[in-house]
Amino acid sequence: MRNMRPLSLPSILASAIFLAASLASPLAAQGIVVDEGTFSVTERGRQVGTEEFSIRRAGIGREDAFFANGLIVRGTSVDREEISPLLRATPPSGVAAGYQVRVQGAEALELQLTLLGNRYVAIARSSLGDEEREFPARNNTRVLDRDVAHHYYFIRDLREGEEIHVLEPRTRSQMNVAVLRRVTDQIQIEGRPTEARKLEIRVGQETRTIWYDRLGRVLRVEIPAVGYVAVRTDLVG
C-alpha cells in the first residue's frame, strides 16, 4: 500500500458524487433480493454485536449490479459503534465496482472507494483528517471489509487453488487471498443441522473459514486469529 499521484479536486468530487448517486439510487433499493438476514457476532467467545444486511441484484445490461448494504452494531450503550457499509459489485462474480462505509462511534470514519479506470481511489475522513489512497484495479478484485460478514457472499464461487485480489477499505490495505480448501460439511444453524459448503481461505498470514448453504448464502464466518465468529440467526433452509 502506498500513496500515489494526487488527483485533481474536481475529479475526486465528480467521482465521489457519481458513486454516491449510483449506490443510493432507487435502483439499489429495488431488484431481486438474493440474500438478507442477521448475524450474531462474537469475539473470543464473547457476544460483541449483530449484523443486519441485504444483498440485491438490479439493473439490465451494463447497469446490472449487486447492491449490498448492512448495519453492524458493536459494543454497549457506553461504547456503541455502528458500521454502515454499502457495496456495488459486478455480476456474476462480485468484482468491486464501488464502495462506501460510515462508522459512528469512537473511531468515526467516512470512506468512499471509487473505481477510476485501472485503479481504485479511496478517500477517507476521520478525526485524524482527510486521507487519500490508491490501489490497483484487477479483474478479480473483491472488497472484504473488516467486521463485515456478508461481503464473503462475493467469494462464494471461488475454486480450490484460486487466488484473488482483495481490498480491506477501512484499514486501507490490500492483499492476495488464496483458496486452500473447498469441501462439503454440516453445521448447526438455529439448532438445526444444515448441509453446507465449507471454504477455507488464506488472507495474508491468517486462515479464515466460511460456510455457505446450497444457494451460496453465508451461514458462518470464522477468523481464528482474532477470535471472530459471525453466525446466521435467521432461519436458512
Side-chain angles (χ1 to χ4, degrees), residues 39 187-189 209-212 217-222 229-232:
F39 291 94
I187 59 174
Q188 295 284 326
I189 297 294
T209 307
I210 310 98
W211 286 264
Y212 303 87
R217 296 177 292 189
V218 179
L219 300 177
R220 182 183 179 98
V221 178
E222 290 187 3
V229 179
V231 182
R232 286 292 282 264

Side-chain angles (χ1 to χ4, degrees), residues 24-67:
S25 68
L27 181 66
Q30 300 171 3
I32 300 171
V33 175
V34 296
D35 193 13
E36 63 180 0
T38 305
F39 291 94
S40 174
V41 180
T42 61
E43 287 185 358
R44 306 195 186 284
R46 183 175 65 88
Q47 177 75 31
V48 296
T50 59
E51 174 178 337
E52 297 180 1
F53 74 96
S54 176
I55 303 174
R56 291 176 168 82
R57 184 170 179 175
I60 299 174
R62 296 181 63 182
E63 298 301 315
D64 187 17
F66 288 114
F67 297 92

Side-chain angles (χ1 to χ4, degrees), residues 169-234:
R170 286 174 57 210
T171 61
R172 268 76 91 205
S173 60
Q174 61 179 325
M175 66 281 289
N176 290 328
V177 169
V179 179
L180 303 177
R181 196 161 67 120
R182 178 183 170 125
V183 297
T184 301
D185 197 8
Q186 187 177 85
I187 59 174
Q188 295 284 326
I189 297 294
E190 291 283 289
R192 298 165 53 189
T194 303
E195 291 294 324
R197 178 162 34 93
K198 181 180 178 181
L199 197 68
E200 292 183 5
I201 62 175
R202 185 180 66 245
V203 182
Q205 300 301 312
E206 67 182 34
T207 300
R208 302 179 186 180
T209 307
I210 310 98
W211 286 264
Y212 303 87
D213 71 0
R214 57 186 176 82
L215 298 178
R217 296 177 292 189
V218 179
L219 300 177
R220 182 183 179 98
V221 178
E222 290 187 3
I223 308 177
V226 293
Y228 172 94
V229 179
V231 182
R232 286 292 282 264
T233 56
D234 56 305

Side-chain angles (χ1 to χ4, degrees), residues 23 69-74 81-87 99-113 123-126 145-146 148 151 169-170 172:
L23 288 171
N69 67 286
L71 175 63
I72 297 99
V73 178
R74 298 170 63 91
E81 178 183 67
E82 293 187 2
I83 305 168
S84 303
L86 180 55
L87 171 68
Y99 182 64
Q100 61 187 40
V101 61
R102 184 177 187 182
V103 180
Q104 296 175 285
E107 298 183 8
L109 170 75
E110 291 187 4
L111 183 143
Q112 193 99 33
L113 183 74
I123 302 172
R125 174 168 293 177
S126 70
D145 212 353
R146 189 182 68 183
V148 184
H151 281 175
R170 286 174 57 210
R172 268 76 91 205

Side-chain angles (χ1 to χ4, degrees), residues 148-167:
V148 184
H150 70 269
H151 281 175
Y152 290 90
Y153 176 84
F154 299 104
I155 65 168
R156 67 198 182 284
D157 292 327
L158 295 184
R159 301 175 181 274
E160 192 168 309
E162 191 170 355
E163 187 169 299
I164 61 169
H165 178 232
V166 164
L167 302 180

